[in-house]
Amino acid sequence: MNVIDHVRDMAAAGLHSNVRLLSSLLLTMSNNNPELFSPSQKYQLLVYHADSLFHDKEYRNAVSKYTMALQQKKALSKTSKVRPSTGNSTSTPQSQCLPSEIEVKYKMAECYTMLKQDKDAIAILDGIPSRQRTPKINMMLANLYKKAGQERPSVTSYKEVLRQCPLALDAILGLLSLSVKGAEVASMTMNVIQTVPNLDWLSVWIKAYAFVHTGDNSRAINTICSLEKKSLLRDNVDLLGSLADLYFRAGDNKNAVLKFEQAQMLDPYLIKGMDVYGYLLAREGRLEDVENLGCRLFNISDQHAEPWVVSGCHSFYSKRYSRALYLGAKAIQLNSNSVQALLLKGAALRNMGRVQEAIIHFREAIRLAPCRLDCYEGREQKYEDGIALLRNALANQSDCVLHRILGDFLVAVNEYQEAMDQYSIALSLDPNDQKSLEGMQKMEKEESPTDATQEEDVDDMEGSGEEGDLEGSDSEAAQWADQEQWFGMQ
């Protein structure tokens, strides 16, 4: 057993700090005497040293050492024979025990993602031939492609993950989020459903999340409820969290809070979704509960956006906007895709009078989650902005609530015929959507909408049944307030 074998055994045992010290010394020895170790041994030392740096979160240094290792591997492949080493008493064959070059590239890609250099991560993984890509490589590629807006290669990579691992549920969600039909996704899992016991729920699960990603909140809720009521899946925290989020999207904040509370009672260490839960509690004025929730989440982990958002909501609703701004910025730093963090920071900026900066954050939130629109207070072209944003959102997904809100906005700018069309589309997606029906009936009662006075428009909006207690609001304020649940911070 030679010294490289000892390094390898320590790495396998998780003794990263020990590996780092010893491999550093051995690499210096090798640099001073190139004949001391064979090319394969030098390659191993570089990889193990880079792995220890990766464990210590020194990602740039790790990338440097992984790059050197790959260069050494190229030199190794050109060597027909392993040179004898003075460090060896028993030589290990070159073909055995060498760290995988594919694994080295994957680790490099991980470093690049941690450094927020996604293009470099894609480049390194793209260089791996398709046949040599493992499921985790395809999964990372799929997520990176999706983040970069490259939908076609993302779909291809997700499908490859499912081909190799048909129960990769996150890959299924990835495909559904990219508008792949639920039936097509289900067909890729049919064989495993039919051959593996106790998987009869999977096809219903796929159906439920297909509804989620097409914006059909009502059917998504009903389908997940049917799953959650089954004895084997009762009290599943992930399903409860999905239900809470769906109720929130649908504007049923009471049920959303109930489901979040049920989920956190089952899992006291739950973090996912707690940012929305904290926001809902803050809106209800339960600031002491929000403060306690934030403390609990920080005790679990401060490396997620959720605790920062929850504390930010407490500050925002306590009118400490500068602190809310800082906490929102910190949350975005941890997770740039956190919609709640973007809305929090945008709302804080807006209330501090920095409207243009706020709009940037609201637009990014809308891009990530089209159903969570935010009003642009302080701008003159509110409805025009809203209509443009809604059209862009509906180009990617058809959603009852978005069509209804677009109809409301079109009424406000006297585009009555198109407003009627939008209400009709909304009702075709959800025949039980009462607000769309009321909007359509209201328009049908108007014999000549173009002659309607501004006063009548105000009366119509105030009689819509939502936010009717707004005091002293004009038609524009009441119209935007009617959609409050979709705007995030109000």
Side-chain angles (χ1 to χ4, degrees):
M1 187 172 182
N2 59 45
V3 68
I4 307 300
D5 295 327
H6 283 285
V7 174
R8 181 175 58 250
D9 289 349
M10 286 194 296
L15 300 176
H16 304 291
S17 61
N18 298 276
V19 169
R20 178 171 181 169
L21 285 170
L22 181 57
S23 60
S24 174
L25 293 167
L26 295 176
L27 285 169
T28 301
M29 292 169 61
S30 177
N31 290 336
N32 289 326
N33 182 1
E35 300 297 321
L36 188 61
F37 297 113
S38 69
S40 65
Q41 291 175 321
K42 181 80 175 285
Y43 167 68
Q44 291 178 76
L45 279 176
L46 286 165
V47 172
Y48 295 137
H49 187 63
D51 286 346
S52 68
L53 293 170
F54 179 90
H55 183 266
D56 286 343
K57 300 182 181 180
E58 296 184 25
Y59 301 115
R60 293 193 188 280
N61 198 356
V63 166
S64 172
K65 299 304 185 293
Y66 282 132
T67 301
M68 293 170 64
L70 290 177
Q71 293 170 345
Q72 185 66 33
K73 188 67 164 59
K74 284 184 180 179
L76 175 60
S77 63
K78 296 177 182 179
T79 305
S80 58
K81 295 182 180 180
V82 180
R83 292 179 295 174
S85 169
T86 58
N88 270 338
S89 57
T90 305
S91 181
T92 304
Q94 177 179 330
S95 60
Q96 298 178 2
C97 302
L98 289 183
S100 164
E101 185 177 350
I102 303 301
E103 183 66 19
V104 169
K105 291 182 178 180
Y106 178 80
K107 283 286 185 65
M108 286 184 72
E110 283 191 304
C111 289
Y112 283 130
T113 58
M114 297 303 295
L115 294 168
K116 303 187 186 304
Q117 297 175 215
D118 290 350
K119 288 184 179 179
D120 292 319
I122 291 174
I124 198 75
L125 295 179
D126 246 347
I128 301 173
S130 298
R131 292 182 181 180
Q132 296 181 24
R133 292 176 188 171
T134 61
K136 70 177 182 180
I137 288 174
N138 279 312
M139 190 70 188
M140 181 182 279
L141 262 177
N143 289 333
L144 287 167
Y145 282 137
K146 180 183 174 184
K147 188 176 178 182
Q150 301 180 48
E151 293 190 4
R152 184 174 295 179
S154 181
V155 167
T156 300
S157 296
Y158 280 132
K159 286 183 175 180
E160 188 59 26
V161 173
L162 279 183
R163 187 187 68 80
Q164 298 170 294
C165 303
L167 291 179
L169 300 188
D170 200 33
I172 289 175
L173 293 178
L175 286 172
L176 294 174
S177 72
L178 293 170
S179 301
V180 178
K181 299 294 184 183
E184 181 183 350
V185 176
S187 69
M188 301 176 71
T189 66
M190 196 58 63
N191 185 59
V192 72
I193 291 175
Q194 293 173 347
T195 57
V196 177
N198 300 318
L199 286 180
D200 53 306
W201 53 268
L202 182 55
S203 58
V204 182
W205 186 91
I206 294 172
K207 181 181 178 182
Y209 285 95
F211 288 140
V212 170
H213 288 288
T214 55
D216 194 338
N217 296 329
S218 178
R219 283 197 282 183
I221 289 171
N222 291 336
T223 309
I224 292 180
C225 280
S226 71
L227 270 177
E228 209 271 327
K229 287 175 182 176
K230 290 186 176 181
S231 58
L232 292 178
L233 292 177
R234 187 178 296 124
D235 291 338
N236 177 266
V237 172
D238 289 321
L239 290 179
L240 287 170
S242 294
L243 270 178
D245 187 62
L246 285 165
Y247 280 127
F248 172 61
R249 293 189 195 185
D252 187 349
N253 293 342
K254 181 179 179 181
N255 272 320
V257 168
L258 288 174
K259 291 301 177 183
F260 277 130
E261 288 176 346
Q262 189 178 348
Q264 72 161 354
M265 285 179 65
L266 289 167
D267 183 1
Y269 299 101
L270 179 65
I271 291 181
K272 184 179 180 181
M274 291 294 99
D275 50 350
V276 175
Y277 177 50
Y279 161 66
L280 290 173
L281 293 179
R283 278 191 55 184
E284 292 180 357
R286 296 166 56 181
L287 294 185
E288 185 176 348
D289 291 337
V290 177
E291 186 175 21
N292 292 336
L293 176 63
C295 291
R296 182 175 68 80
L297 293 175
F298 273 119
N299 285 333
I300 297 170
S301 172
D302 63 357
Q303 295 303 305
H304 291 76
E306 286 83 350
W308 299 91
V309 172
V310 171
S311 293
C313 286
H314 181 273
S315 296
F316 182 88
Y317 283 91
S318 300
K319 298 184 179 180
R320 293 185 294 167
Y321 302 123
S322 295
R323 179 165 176 77
L325 175 62
Y326 161 73
L327 293 166
K330 179 65 178 179
I332 293 170
Q333 185 181 18
L334 291 168
N335 180 4
S336 60
N337 291 328
S338 171
V339 175
Q340 282 302 126
L342 289 163
L343 291 174
L344 170 64
K345 186 178 178 185
L349 286 166
R350 181 194 63 198
N351 284 25
M352 294 169 68
R354 295 159 62 178
V355 177
Q356 294 304 317
E357 292 176 73
I359 289 172
I360 294 172
H361 291 79
F362 291 142
R363 283 183 169 163
E364 177 63 11
I366 291 167
R367 185 187 71 80
L368 292 168
C371 290
R372 299 278 306 282
L373 298 178
D374 197 286
C375 64
Y376 281 46
E377 292 186 359
R379 299 193 67 176
E380 295 179 0
Q381 303 298 323
K382 291 183 182 179
Y383 291 114
E384 283 76 4
D385 286 335
I387 288 169
L389 290 165
L390 286 162
R391 292 193 197 282
N392 289 335
L394 288 168
N396 298 317
Q397 70 175 66
S398 187
D399 177 81
C400 169
V401 176
L402 293 183
H403 282 291
R404 185 234 298 159
I405 297 174
L406 180 54
D408 292 343
F409 285 8
L410 288 166
V411 169
V413 295
N414 300 324
E415 296 288 343
Y416 297 105
Q417 183 55 54
E418 190 180 352
M420 183 70 80
D421 294 340
Q422 294 300 324
Y423 288 137
S424 298
I425 296 172
L427 286 170
S428 70
L429 293 171
D430 183 1
N432 298 318
D433 185 51
Q434 191 63 30
K435 291 183 181 179
S436 293
L437 185 60
E438 290 173 358
M440 182 175 285
Q441 290 173 343
K442 194 184 303 178
M443 291 184 62
E444 289 173 346
K445 289 179 182 178
E446 296 284 345
E447 292 183 359
S448 179
T450 54
D451 295 332
T453 65
Q454 183 178 4
E455 182 179 354
E456 288 172 335
D457 286 338
V458 173
D459 292 339
D460 283 342
M461 277 184 270
E462 289 178 344
S464 64
E466 179 86 3
E467 297 292 331
D469 60 345
L470 289 175
E471 296 181 2
S473 9
D474 59 16
S475 61
E476 184 176 286
Q479 185 71 46
W480 280 84
D482 187 47
Q483 317 304 340
E484 181 182 358
Q485 69 248 32
W486 297 98
F487 296 155
M489 294 295 175
Q490 187 74 311

